[in-house]
Amino acid sequence: MEKMHARDLYSYYGKSPVLQGVSFDLAPGEFLSVLGRNGVGKTTLLKTIMGLTDRCAGALDFGDSDLLSLSTPQRSRLGIGYIPQGREIIPQFTVRENILMGTFARTDGRREIPEYLFEMFPILADFISRRGGDLSGGQQQQLAIARALAMDPKILILDEPTEGIQPNIVKQIEEAIIRLNREHGLGIILVEQNVPFAREASDRFLVLDKGRVVMSGRSNELTDTIVEEHLTF
């Protein structure tokens, strides 16, 4: 299993550096939560990992691969699954078609839906022929996660996956993320505002402010003082 390694990472939109000198490591199967107030660079960090900003500098490696030299599709084929804010499912496609889209990032050529996805998200089996645009927000989020899992990733990157989701589905999504990490061995990078869930689920955390890492540590070191100083609004 590959390790992700970032050192002195800068990322730009136009000429403006949004990330400034960010460093972190993600060991195989580790769960990292990325925390911070709105607008501090959390989403930009995830987009940087996927190659979706204008320009980057520094070092970002995944195993033996230099990610900064690779396109977004090439990064996906290395086994990095990404669920962005807004989910970005294709509303005209059925649930089945949306999930099958994820399989095209596989390198083994397999184009079938993994059965465990329906065990994890039973509603998707019930709605397999329904158009993605007809699902509720929470169901679309489950679909977006299933689509990313269909590519058989090594790392899953999630940007606030429970934001705006109805409460009865939030718990299902949180439990699924924990299971994927602890039972399936998936590395997780999670941007999250829910501090109690970050404490429960993650091995380590980092806090961003104005594009820089201002605090990092083990999840049990995420104290109320840190939350008060860097995360409350």
Side-chain angles (χ1 to χ4, degrees):
M1 294 287 284
E2 287 86 351
K3 175 181 180 178
M4 185 172 287
H5 173 82
R7 281 296 173 271
D8 203 25
L9 192 61
Y10 284 73
S11 194
Y12 297 79
Y13 294 119
K15 295 182 178 180
S16 301
V18 179
L19 294 186
Q20 303 180 60
V22 169
S23 299
F24 70 89
D25 291 307
L26 184 77
E30 195 168 42
F31 194 132
L32 174 68
S33 288
V34 180
L35 308 169
R37 296 184 178 94
N38 291 332
V40 299
K42 304 187 302 296
T43 292
T44 298
L45 175 58
L46 303 192
K47 288 185 173 181
T48 300
I49 294 170
M50 296 308 302
L52 297 171
T53 62
D54 294 341
R55 181 167 62 91
C56 297
L60 180 61
D61 302 319
F62 184 49
D64 296 328
S65 299
D66 171 14
L67 292 183
L68 297 188
S69 69
L70 301 178
S71 68
T72 298
Q74 287 172 323
R75 299 181 198 203
S76 294
R77 285 193 286 272
L78 287 176
I80 304 174
Y82 175 48
I83 298 105
Q85 277 184 313
R87 300 178 278 279
E88 296 183 10
I89 64 148
I90 298 181
Q92 297 87 356
F93 281 17
T94 66
V95 167
R96 178 186 284 107
E97 290 165 340
N98 268 282
I99 298 174
L100 284 173
M101 279 186 60
T103 67
F104 286 91
R106 294 180 68 111
T107 56
D108 60 7
R110 296 178 67 179
R111 297 290 179 262
E112 63 262 15
I113 299 174
E115 272 304 314
Y116 81 91
L117 298 184
F118 296 129
E119 184 265 321
M120 187 167 286
F121 301 122
I123 196 68
L124 299 182
D126 296 340
F127 292 168
I128 191 70
S129 298
R130 189 171 294 193
R131 293 196 319 169
D134 295 334
L135 304 184
S136 71
Q139 291 161 355
Q140 288 184 8
Q141 186 64 276
Q142 293 179 18
L143 177 56
I145 294 171
R147 180 180 60 187
L149 293 172
M151 63 176 278
D152 192 29
K154 299 166 185 170
I155 289 179
L156 203 59
I157 299 175
L158 304 105
D159 195 350
E160 298 199 29
T162 61
E163 183 184 36
I165 302 298
Q166 51 268 49
N168 63 314
I169 295 185
V170 166
K171 194 63 180 173
Q172 293 177 39
I173 291 173
E174 290 178 344
E175 289 172 353
I177 293 168
I178 290 173
R179 281 185 60 192
L180 290 167
N181 175 245
R182 296 178 186 171
E183 296 178 18
H184 295 263
L186 270 183
I188 303 283
I189 300 178
L190 172 74
V191 165
E192 184 56 78
Q193 297 283 2
N194 183 340
V195 173
F197 177 59
R199 277 196 184 115
E200 174 194 1
S202 56
D203 300 302
R204 293 189 303 111
F205 74 94
L206 60 84
V207 178
L208 292 179
D209 192 10
K210 298 179 182 175
R212 298 181 182 275
V213 177
V214 293
M215 191 73 62
S216 63
R218 308 292 300 180
S219 60
N220 60 4
E221 298 170 330
L222 182 56
T223 63
D224 291 340
T225 301
I226 293 173
V227 172
E228 183 71 25
E229 184 176 355
H230 295 291
L231 302 176
T232 55
F233 294 91

